[in-house]
Amino acid sequence: MSLVVFPFKDEDPAVAIANIRTAAIHPRVSFVLCVGSSGDDTFGLIEAAVSEVGRQTGVPVHTLVQMRMGLRRPGKGDAMNTALAWFLAEGDFERVHFYDADITTFSGTWISKAERAADEGYPAVRHYFPRSSTDAMITWFITRPGLAKLWPGTVLPKIRQPLGGELLFTREVVQHLADDPAVVAQSDWGIDTRLTLSVGAGGFPVAEVYIPEGKLHKLYGSLTDIEDMAVECFSAVREARGLEVSAEIDHRVDDPSRVGETMRTKVAYSVEDTVGLLSEGWTDVQVEMLGHFPSAVRDGMLAGREDPAVDFLGHELWGEVYDVALARFDSADDDWRSLLFRVWVARVLSYTAREAVKGYDSAISYLQATIARYEAEAQ
Ligand code: GDX
Ligand code: MG
């Protein structure tokens, strides 16, 4: 039987409770665990509501306070690692599923699809979703280029959404992850990337199951959230340099269906709100640090402070920026964090101006081709 885990932090209780109930009534699920921080505003509300769900469904539903397990910023990683440790200590579950608590399109089919892939012999199962061409900008410009550059020829560059948080692992994989000090240390947003890397290093077969209705969820609270996420995902990739991953891992991917019209035309972020990030918050140290990058990047970033019509940062130049950051980035240095974030913003805006405007199919093909190019160059 399976355990379902929802890491949560200040979510709309109605959305979280509906998801918890959906999980609890699934025939394969024997326990639902919600892991949060007791200081969060909604912890008490969700804690109060889950026992009722447990009574109604006959499946135990518990809340758990996340332990301080990692070495990075305390966040979602601590919650996921708390759940992995709990799985091993408390029960004889065969499998664990993770789902975000804020999803409004969650259904029992998500659980069934993952269970089916596990029944067919895949000990690690990842859900993947249609995304708009201007969504997943951390995936396309941070995580996937890094996986392509550092682990070419392995399964890692092929994973569709390597920082997705919707996953199934069998007990064997959970044991491997809980025994990996790098996973336990990754208490921040880097956890999803680090789990992908550790599953790869463990050599476990991976299935990616497709969820055509997509993952609709709460929009980002603030751009600070996404700054932390971008930097923490980059750091997770960078700190894993040198990890050995076999080129022979079994990898199955469900065929996606044609992406619906809403997703094909949706703009996932506000260009207007984003351009301001290029002019705000510069320090003299950051201006000096631009000297590490190719001169076209330095000149483009300096010009972008005055003129927000940024389109200078194509895939080749971004590949060079990425290499400089792999060599020099320091996650403890606020200037580095801020600068990396701002150059990433310039890359997102350049891609939007040059490629996303050509339409969905062209933009997605372009993004896929950039990953293939980074991988080919690294081989
Ligand atoms: N316990 C706990 N502690 N839960 C957290 C924390 C934390 O510090 N921070 C976030 N969460 C929960 C949150 O309540 C939600 O259930 C889930 O983790 C994801 O957080 P959310 O704010 O919804 O993040 P977002 O931007 O939707 O990103 C998620 O999707 C990304 C992706 O699939 O692209 C998140 O799971 C990322 O890790 C994932 O990479
Ligand atoms: Mg979310």
Side-chain angles (χ1 to χ4, degrees):
M1 290 300 275
S2 294
L3 168 70
V4 170
V5 176
F6 292 99
F8 73 99
K9 181 182 174 66
D10 290 337
E11 297 306 340
D12 177 350
V15 173
I17 295 296
N19 291 336
I20 291 162
R21 187 186 304 277
T22 299
I25 60 175
H26 193 282
R28 288 290 186 96
V29 175
S30 61
F31 206 109
V32 180
L33 193 63
C34 311
V35 189
S37 295
S38 54
D40 290 342
D41 293 346
T42 52
F43 189 92
L45 294 172
I46 290 177
E47 189 176 38
V50 295
S51 48
E52 181 59 22
V53 179
R55 257 194 304 281
Q56 289 166 355
T57 59
V59 167
V61 184
H62 288 187
T63 43
L64 194 63
V65 175
Q66 67 189 60
M67 294 187 286
R68 181 63 181 128
M69 298 184 68
L71 304 173
R72 315 278 183 272
R73 185 183 61 78
K76 184 182 180 235
D78 271 343
M80 294 182 85
N81 279 313
T82 298
L84 293 173
W86 190 91
F87 174 102
L88 292 171
E90 296 294 333
D92 53 0
F93 310 104
E94 290 156 38
R95 300 168 182 170
V96 63
H97 296 239
F98 285 98
Y99 299 104
D100 288 356
D102 65 332
I103 301 169
T104 53
T105 45
F106 184 63
S107 75
T109 312
W110 296 32
I111 299 174
S112 302
K113 283 194 174 177
E115 287 282 330
R116 202 171 310 130
D119 291 347
E120 288 161 7
Y122 287 90
V125 185
R126 315 179 55 88
H127 297 72
Y128 83 104
F129 309 90
R131 309 283 294 255
S132 101
S133 66
T134 43
D135 194 8
M137 296 288 93
I138 296 178
T139 298
W140 285 116
F141 300 134
I142 303 261
T143 316
R144 293 196 65 181
L147 300 186
K149 283 171 173 288
L150 296 172
W151 294 277
T154 72
V155 66
L156 294 177
K158 295 178 185 62
I159 303 283
R160 300 301 185 272
Q161 287 161 14
L163 51 74
E166 290 67 40
L167 305 157
L168 173 152
F169 302 129
T170 59
R171 175 167 284 270
E172 190 192 4
V173 178
V174 172
Q175 188 71 60
H176 168 81
L177 296 171
D179 288 344
D180 182 344
V183 169
V184 179
Q186 198 78 53
S187 41
D188 59 9
W189 285 122
I191 187 62
D192 305 285
T193 306
R194 189 69 230 195
L195 291 173
T196 303
L197 288 162
S198 185
V199 169
F204 298 104
V206 178
E208 295 188 77
V209 296
Y210 185 68
I211 304 293
E213 63 270 31
K215 171 175 149 181
L216 295 183
H217 60 121
K218 193 181 64 188
L219 292 173
Y220 294 114
S222 79
L223 288 162
T224 320
D225 291 353
I226 200 160
E227 174 167 344
D228 284 344
M229 206 183 272
V231 168
E232 290 171 3
C233 289
F234 177 76
S235 296
V237 171
R238 182 176 179 274
E239 285 159 18
R241 284 171 304 171
L243 189 74
E244 286 195 25
V245 178
S246 157
E248 306 297 328
I249 295 172
D250 177 12
H251 177 215
R252 188 186 82 190
V253 187
D254 281 3
D255 281 337
S257 53
R258 189 180 185 279
V259 172
E261 215 43 49
T262 320
M263 197 67 75
R264 293 169 69 85
T265 49
K266 184 174 155 211
V267 181
Y269 74 94
S270 157
V271 175
E272 208 175 310
D273 292 348
T274 308
V275 290
L277 295 172
L278 294 179
S279 53
E280 291 158 10
W282 283 89
T283 63
D284 292 344
V285 178
Q286 289 169 29
V287 172
E288 204 176 301
M289 285 164 79
L290 281 175
H292 296 315
F293 295 123
S295 55
V297 175
R298 189 192 57 222
D299 297 347
M301 292 304 292
L302 291 176
R305 300 200 301 180
E306 317 293 330
D307 176 6
V310 163
D311 71 350
F312 67 93
L313 201 43
H315 79 276
E316 281 179 16
L317 219 41
W318 177 247
E320 291 180 48
V321 168
Y322 205 102
D323 292 340
V324 170
L326 281 176
R328 292 178 174 268
F329 181 73
D330 176 1
S331 63
D333 179 340
D334 285 346
D335 282 315
W336 246 123
R337 293 173 73 95
S338 179
L339 186 60
L340 180 67
F341 174 64
R342 220 174 286 121
V343 184
W344 169 79
V345 167
R347 174 68 182 122
V348 172
L349 289 168
S350 297
Y351 153 78
T352 306
R354 274 160 56 159
E355 304 295 339
V357 291
K358 294 181 192 162
Y360 180 84
D361 293 319
S362 159
I364 297 292
S365 306
Y366 164 83
L367 290 168
Q368 284 165 345
T370 66
I371 303 305
R373 269 191 227 120
Y374 293 137
E375 186 178 8
E377 283 159 15
Q379 262 167 338

